[in-house]
Amino acid sequence: MMGFKIILGLAVLATVLLLTECSWGTGKGNSYNYDLSKMSDLTKLYNSKVYQADRMRRPLEGMSFQAGLLSHSGVRVTLEDGTMWLVHKGDGYGISSQTVVVDARHMSSSWKIIETKNFRGSKRVADFVKAGGTDYSLIFDNCHDASGRMMEGS
């Protein structure tokens, strides 16, 4: 009986943790700092061809480990000029869309590659943003769902 209570307690704890925001609220109240602010630069990035995409995962904010869905994921894309950008989704990450693109130099060393695809320029950054989706839902459309859709096709 004691073993059942421990398992039940762990299941409840896992459920509570899973019901937290994908990155534990780092997007909430964001001041929205931008890597690119000129419309022409944004348009150029959005239309840039993606040659390689790495689906990546890191621990949630405040945690030193990751365990399956108790993590945050996104896709780091490499463009023709060799620059790398992270396309990822989270609650409160953006203004008109919760899928955002940030310079990969902002990524910590805790991000780990879990899948790599060579798209050979067949997709654009815009395709990854579109696949990520505009709206965030912890249960139905979170960072893991978005990064999985981004890696589809070739």
Side-chain angles (χ1 to χ4, degrees):
M1 187 65 168
M2 186 62 139
F4 175 74
K5 287 182 179 179
I6 291 172
I7 291 172
L8 181 61
L10 289 173
V12 168
L13 177 61
T15 301
V16 168
L17 289 173
L18 185 59
L19 293 177
T20 59
E21 181 181 332
C22 193
S23 63
W24 284 22
T26 57
K28 294 280 188 190
N30 195 340
S31 62
Y32 302 109
N33 293 316
Y34 302 104
D35 288 312
L36 302 173
S37 57
K38 290 177 20 185
M39 185 58 81
S40 59
D41 291 338
L42 293 168
T43 301
K44 181 180 175 187
L45 174 61
Y46 198 71
N47 291 321
S48 295
K49 292 181 179 181
V50 172
Y51 284 82
Q52 180 172 306
D54 300 308
R55 187 174 185 192
M56 304 184 77
R57 187 172 284 158
R58 67 156 169 82
L60 293 172
E61 292 296 322
M63 296 179 72
S64 60
F65 68 93
Q66 55 183 315
L69 295 177
L70 294 178
S71 60
H72 178 60
S73 65
V75 176
R76 182 180 63 191
V77 297
T78 304
L79 309 181
E80 185 175 27
D81 63 3
T83 60
M84 291 187 266
W85 298 83
L86 175 66
V87 185
H88 65 141
K89 181 178 200 160
D91 191 21
Y93 276 20
I95 297 172
S96 61
S97 174
Q98 301 311 305
T99 299
V100 297
V101 182
V102 296
D103 194 314
R105 67 185 158 89
H106 300 298
M107 298 173 72
S108 71
S109 60
S110 64
W111 286 89
K112 304 296 179 215
I113 297 172
I114 56 175
E115 177 186 4
T116 297
K117 274 194 172 180
N118 185 344
F119 285 98
R120 297 177 179 86
S122 65
K123 288 180 117 180
R124 298 180 186 277
V125 172
D127 298 319
F128 286 81
V129 173
K130 183 178 179 181
T134 57
D135 300 320
Y136 177 88
S137 167
L138 179 67
I139 304 299
F140 300 110
D141 195 4
N142 59 47
C143 60
H144 303 300
D145 300 317
S147 64
R149 288 191 305 267
M150 290 177 207
M151 295 298 283
E152 293 174 354
S154 55

